Amino acid sequence: MAVIQATDSDFEQVLKDNDKVIVKFFAGWCGSCRLFAPKFKRLSNDDKYEGVSFIDINAEQNPESRKSAGVNNLPYFAIYKNGELIEGISSSKEDSVVELIEKLNS
């Protein structure tokens, strides 16, 4: 599945439309964010995570979404189930992000 680009204007709707969501908050100047982008895309195409929607949000341009997830560092990953924030982490380690995604499937 492709990574969905979201903004403050459609973030709530994206959460309503998808049961299981992982959001990557990034910034254009963030080197770790850029390095993680291909990994996030690869994970989104993994059959293991078929029911999970992968969302990208530019944290600088979308302050409402950033605040609602409690973003404190970048890249930041947050998981949502049925529109509710479950957990968020700031990490550039793929293993940590995979652990977070696994929580959606448990």
Side-chain angles (χ1 to χ4, degrees):
M1 178 186 272
V3 176
I4 300 165
Q5 302 296 318
T7 63
D8 277 352
S9 62
D10 63 1
F11 184 56
E12 291 298 321
Q13 192 60 49
V14 169
L15 291 179
K16 283 181 192 165
D17 293 347
N18 299 281
D19 294 338
K20 298 175 184 177
V21 174
I22 180 157
V23 181
K24 178 183 73 165
F25 291 90
F26 70 95
W29 52 261
C30 171
S32 295
C33 300
R34 285 196 302 273
L35 289 171
F36 203 91
K39 296 173 190 173
F40 197 64
K41 183 173 172 53
R42 183 175 36 76
L43 288 169
S44 76
N45 290 319
D46 191 324
D47 291 341
K48 209 170 23 174
Y49 308 123
E50 191 176 330
V52 179
S53 298
F54 287 70
I55 314 296
D56 255 351
I57 295 187
N58 185 315
E60 286 190 300
Q61 297 171 358
N62 299 285
E64 296 305 315
S65 302
R66 182 181 71 229
K67 279 185 222 155
S68 73
V71 176
N72 58 10
N73 209 337
L74 297 173
Y76 190 88
F77 300 87
I79 53 171
Y80 293 81
K81 205 172 215 176
N82 301 317
E84 297 293 320
L85 176 64
I86 304 297
E87 187 176 335
I89 59 165
S90 175
S91 178
S92 55
K93 292 186 169 75
E94 186 172 349
D95 291 350
S96 300
V97 175
V98 166
E99 277 181 38
L100 199 61
I101 298 168
E102 295 290 338
K103 291 180 182 181
L104 284 171
N105 288 328
S106 60

